[in-house]
Amino acid sequence: MNHIPLANLKAILLDLDDTLYAYKPCHQAGYEACKVLADKKYTISNLDFDAAWKLGRDKVHHDLHGQGASHSRLLYAQKVSEHLFGKSNPVFALEMEETYWNVFLETIAFKPGVEEFLKEAKAKGIKMCIVTDLTAQIQMQKWLKLDLGRYIDFLVSSEEAGIEKPGKYIFELALEKLGARADECIMIGDSEEKDVKGAVAMGIKGYKV
Ligand SMILES: [Mg+2]
């Protein structure tokens, strides 16, 4: 990220997941904790859990494609309970969601170089806004865990915008909050499709990291 030029910028739009921190180790830790809990408390084998999670996740992705809630671990876990118990089990679903995110958040940490970049941008007086696909509550919890308020001014989630990247409105909402024009900003993210192409379609220069 440190190669990105900051001269003459009014604002930076930033993706959160897999841009500011590495997603995979956090997901893996959260998911494994769910499997341990399912095995211990509900005697569900790892194999059955894996199969039910995949079915649940795929169904939620399919049904809610393009919306923030398409990534909801609570909805995945609800479907897992329906596959495994033959009926909805809100106790199980809520327990899994809580376990997943608690362990996920315990694991979250900045990628190397990210904090230095944010510090430098902040010192230059550049406003920053997170532009992220997921529900507001968990993205705010990640914000708190990383203490992003030290550097970042605004958050836009796809739940709030009603559309995911590369949709236009999620970027428009960020520009509106920042009080900036597209040509005064850059967008930084890990996804060519969502972050870079989404930004470029709005006239915002995009950087893939
Ligand atoms: Mg990302």
Side-chain angles (χ1 to χ4, degrees):
M1 220 180 254
N2 293 315
H3 63 286
I4 297 170
L6 296 177
N8 304 318
L9 282 183
K10 181 164 182 184
I12 302 174
L13 283 59
L14 285 156
D15 173 50
L16 175 56
D17 302 302
D18 238 4
T19 294
L20 300 190
Y21 74 94
Y23 169 80
K24 209 172 171 187
C26 299
H27 165 72
Q28 214 54 47
Y31 184 69
E32 289 305 319
C34 288
K35 278 164 69 163
V36 169
L37 178 66
D39 179 25
K40 272 197 178 148
K41 194 164 170 187
Y42 297 91
T43 61
I44 295 161
S45 75
N46 284 353
L47 222 59
D48 286 347
F49 189 89
D50 283 340
W53 182 277
K54 188 177 183 315
L55 283 170
R57 188 196 55 204
D58 290 352
K59 176 75 173 145
V60 173
H61 281 181
H62 174 266
D63 289 350
L64 299 178
H65 180 74
Q67 298 176 40
S70 67
H71 315 285
S72 165
R73 277 27 173 211
L74 181 61
L75 295 180
Y76 298 177
Q78 180 189 338
K79 307 271 191 213
V80 170
S81 80
E82 289 157 2
H83 285 299
L84 294 174
F85 309 127
K87 58 181 184 179
S88 301
N89 184 335
V91 173
F92 173 92
L94 288 163
E95 223 176 353
M96 288 297 152
E97 188 208 21
E98 194 184 353
T99 300
Y100 179 90
W101 286 123
N102 281 347
V103 176
F104 189 108
L105 291 170
E106 279 165 21
T107 315
I108 202 169
F110 283 118
K111 279 186 180 178
V114 165
E115 205 169 1
E116 292 71 16
F117 175 83
L118 296 177
K119 257 182 210 163
E120 196 190 333
K122 169 94 180 168
K124 288 188 186 306
I126 300 170
K127 294 264 179 243
M128 286 181 270
C129 180
I130 298 287
V131 182
T132 179
D133 283 349
L134 224 161
T135 46
Q137 188 182 38
I138 185 59
Q139 300 310 67
M140 287 185 193
Q141 283 173 359
K142 291 174 190 168
W143 171 298
L144 293 182
K145 189 67 207 299
L146 293 169
D147 201 3
L148 292 181
R150 288 172 294 163
Y151 312 114
I152 313 261
D153 303 280
F154 296 104
L155 169 70
V156 174
S157 68
S158 58
E159 181 180 34
E160 175 189 358
I163 191 164
E164 295 210 297
K165 295 176 286 185
K168 266 194 160 188
Y169 187 62
I170 190 165
F171 292 99
E172 283 172 358
L173 201 49
L175 294 180
E176 190 184 314
K177 290 190 191 196
L178 289 161
R181 296 189 318 261
D183 64 353
E184 297 171 320
C185 303
I186 59 169
M187 167 77 196
I188 302 171
D190 67 291
S191 167
E192 182 69 36
E193 217 40 56
K194 285 171 166 276
D195 300 317
V196 177
K197 286 190 180 166
V200 169
M202 292 285 302
I204 301 167
K205 193 170 169 56
Y207 289 91
K208 188 178 182 309
V209 289

